[in-house]
Amino acid sequence: MKFGMCTLSDFDVTGKTVLCRVDINQPIDRKTGTLKDVTRIKGCIPTLKELSERNAKTVLLAHQGGDLEYKNYFTTKPHAKILSDFLGRTVKFIDDVTGPAAREMINNLEEGEILLLDNVRFVSEEMTLFETKLNLNEEDQSKTQVVQKLAPLADLFVCDAFAAAHRSQPSLVGFEQVLPSAMGRLFEKEFSVIADIMESPSRPCLFILGGAKIQDAFMMMNTALKNGVADKVLTGGLVGNIMLLAKGIDIGVQSTDLIKKMNLTEYVEIAREILDKFSNKILLPVDLAYVEGDRKEVAIADLPVKDILVDIGSLTAKTYKKAIKEASTIFVNGPMGIFESEPSEHGTKVVWEALAESAAYSVLGGGDSITAANKYKVEERISYICTGGGALIRFLSGEELPVVKALRYAANKFGCEER
Ligand code: 3PG
């Protein structure tokens, strides 16, 4: 037992059916089914290898994309192939989650075998919007389809999905209500490293928040500023554009329409409230970039432009670079723009390279942020790369993550059986 949760060392898994929730959610090309990054898949290999070597029958539950990340919503079939390559043994796959075909395959697993089920978010109760709008309590979670159908087939639940530990969804917090449960090795490692840094983070502590996961970003920004964990917050990507709108800056019809189309208008008001309270701690872009044939930049005072804003400008990138140099601890979640394409990558590239040069303890998390770190070849020079983005930042805000709460509940209810 560690931090009030059971670990894999506490259980004898030989011959047992282990339901293991992993987070192997990666950016994906939906046309070809090609994964653009495999960092998270690699991250859960130690747990899977250990389960297989200890002769467990392992059933993997995972999501790929979702309602908040629809561009990556896809089957988990391609992941089975990559998992097999990393493990040097076949990971079976079935395009089913809770149906009779999946259950039969689980029942027929041999010791040491691993089976990956299809995207658990294909089962509707799992979706993120349900989590926020329906707000199922723990007991409700255990009555959902996925838990009712799969838990009776298993002896143990293992959660290795630290990256999704901030989600209160059935496959993450439901099984702990009815099965003995443990954290996997990746979960254990991420939790330990971050808990250590949090004991006494060196100041000033800088948060860099960008990307398009707006709901997470604003929740984190608010809590980290309120709790005093963040001394300064740098904003970019869609997060930065929403902050600018909140300040009453006209960012142009196309960029404003995008925010409306993504149903994010309510965040403009949330951003305004945050700015009212903490404007002295938040850095906003002073210039931005758009693409009109090639990359063009515009100062905030010269907005609006008709084209969509896709990156922070060079002056902003330079200011952020300076702030990074002055920080002692840095947490990063979300890129500064659409770094995947050349005309809009400058901001992310400069900021990520500044992180690599910085002497601060830097922690970078989240799928897109990791992909960018790989692209700019800075992974080795970031102090710690965490598979979680949202989970990392929510952890830092001092909240007990829903999955941690559920694992502690299971440890109390079922105990940690001695090996
Ligand atoms: C992530 O990408 O941060 C995790 O996989 C969680 O995904 P979600 O934000 O779609 O829940």
Side-chain angles (χ1 to χ4, degrees):
M1 168 123 63
K2 260 191 186 171
F3 308 107
M5 294 174 271
C6 308
T7 75
L8 268 186
S9 309
D10 294 321
F11 294 93
D12 179 0
V13 295
T14 314
K16 306 261 173 71
T17 301
V18 177
L19 277 177
C20 180
R21 176 59 159 101
V22 287
D23 189 329
I24 48 177
N25 181 25
Q26 301 277 202
I28 198 163
D29 179 341
R30 293 217 298 187
K31 280 197 199 100
T32 61
T34 314
L35 297 170
K36 297 183 193 160
D37 183 39
V38 294
T39 311
R40 280 182 174 161
I41 300 188
K42 213 164 147 187
C44 64
I45 295 300
T47 299
L48 305 189
K49 200 161 177 283
E50 180 175 339
L51 285 170
S52 177
E53 281 169 0
R54 287 172 56 192
N55 292 323
K57 303 170 185 174
T58 307
V59 183
L60 299 179
L61 275 162
H63 72 279
Q64 172 59 48
D67 49 1
L68 293 182
E69 227 197 336
Y70 195 68
K71 69 175 174 19
N72 288 324
Y73 195 41
F74 205 71
T75 167
T76 52
K77 188 172 182 190
H79 308 61
K81 163 87 179 66
I82 314 264
L83 282 165
S84 306
D85 292 346
F86 276 129
L87 284 164
R89 66 165 303 151
T90 303
V91 170
K92 296 181 170 179
F93 172 78
I94 184 155
D95 58 346
D96 186 13
V97 185
T98 60
R103 301 203 302 274
E104 194 188 331
M105 234 169 138
I106 294 171
N107 282 326
N108 290 332
L109 276 180
E110 306 269 337
E111 289 188 7
E113 283 190 332
I114 304 175
L115 165 69
L116 172 64
L117 302 176
D118 213 337
N119 189 345
V120 67
R121 288 187 181 169
F122 288 168
V123 181
S124 65
E125 284 159 313
E126 191 73 16
M127 293 304 280
T128 332
L129 274 183
F130 278 31
E131 170 202 11
T132 49
K133 306 285 176 207
L134 269 182
N135 209 354
L136 298 178
N137 64 29
E138 283 86 358
E139 209 196 322
D140 293 337
Q141 302 272 6
S142 67
K143 302 218 170 87
T144 54
Q145 185 77 4
V146 70
V147 180
Q148 294 277 308
K149 295 284 185 195
L150 300 182
L153 312 182
D155 302 291
L156 176 70
F157 175 69
V158 170
C159 187
D160 212 21
F162 181 79
H166 57 310
R167 296 279 176 232
S168 183
Q169 294 169 353
S171 74
L172 289 153
V173 302
F175 291 105
E176 292 91 330
Q177 316 303 314
V178 293
L179 281 177
S181 306
M183 46 183 172
R185 297 302 183 197
L186 176 66
F187 197 109
E188 188 183 334
K189 180 173 152 211
E190 309 244 67
F191 193 98
S192 313
V193 170
I194 298 159
D196 264 4
I197 308 165
M198 281 312 288
E199 282 241 315
S200 52
S202 273
R203 303 274 175 183
C205 179
L206 182 69
F207 275 52
I208 305 178
L209 297 178
K213 281 200 179 173
I214 299 307
Q215 190 196 21
D216 281 346
F218 281 104
M219 199 281 295
M220 295 162 202
M221 197 187 307
N222 199 19
T223 354
L225 285 165
K226 221 162 64 190
N227 290 2
V229 180
D231 296 308
K232 194 171 271 178
V233 176
L234 311 186
T235 57
L238 207 52
V239 179
N241 291 359
I242 292 179
M243 293 303 265
L244 291 171
L245 260 186
K247 265 192 98 178
I249 291 161
D250 181 357
I251 59 171
V253 179
Q254 280 218 50
S255 297
T256 313
D257 277 356
L258 176 72
I259 290 164
K260 279 191 202 140
K261 232 172 87 188
M262 291 173 78
N263 287 322
L264 297 173
T265 315
E266 65 181 290
Y267 290 98
V268 178
E269 189 47 43
I270 295 172
R272 200 170 288 133
E273 284 164 19
I274 297 178
L275 277 170
D276 280 349
K277 283 190 237 148
F278 305 106
S279 65
N280 59 333
K281 293 193 167 183
I282 302 172
L283 286 192
L284 302 186
V286 290
D287 59 349
L288 292 160
Y290 59 98
V291 180
E292 196 189 32
D294 52 8
R295 179 185 173 98
K296 303 256 174 4
E297 297 202 347
V298 56
I300 296 302
D302 297 329
L303 282 171
V305 287
K306 72 172 176 20
D307 295 282
I308 200 146
L309 298 161
V310 286
D311 190 16
I312 56 170
S314 312
L315 194 58
T316 308
K318 211 168 149 191
T319 315
Y320 286 7
K321 191 173 167 178
K322 188 165 171 279
I324 289 169
K325 209 169 169 192
E326 288 162 2
S328 292
T329 309
I330 308 172
F331 294 102
V332 191
N333 182 36
M336 297 291 100
I338 305 175
F339 69 93
E340 292 90 343
S341 87
E342 200 267 326
S344 47
E345 71 168 339
H346 179 79
T348 308
K349 188 166 189 286
V350 170
V351 168
W352 263 231
E353 284 172 355
L355 287 170
E357 280 158 29
S358 147
Y361 193 91
S362 53
V363 184
L364 178 138
D368 287 336
S369 305
I370 297 172
T371 308
N374 292 337
K375 180 172 182 189
Y376 303 123
K377 304 201 181 343
V378 296
E379 340 67 289
E380 301 294 325
R381 286 149 71 209
I382 307 273
S383 315
Y384 185 68
I385 298 213
C386 175
T387 57
L392 164 72
I393 307 285
R394 206 164 307 181
F395 187 110
L396 300 177
S397 65
E399 246 181 71
E400 186 181 40
L401 297 169
V403 174
V404 172
K405 184 173 170 215
L407 286 168
R408 286 178 175 151
Y409 172 86
N412 270 327
K413 183 167 174 185
F414 304 103
C416 304
E417 170 200 321
E418 289 302 318
R419 282 183 66 193

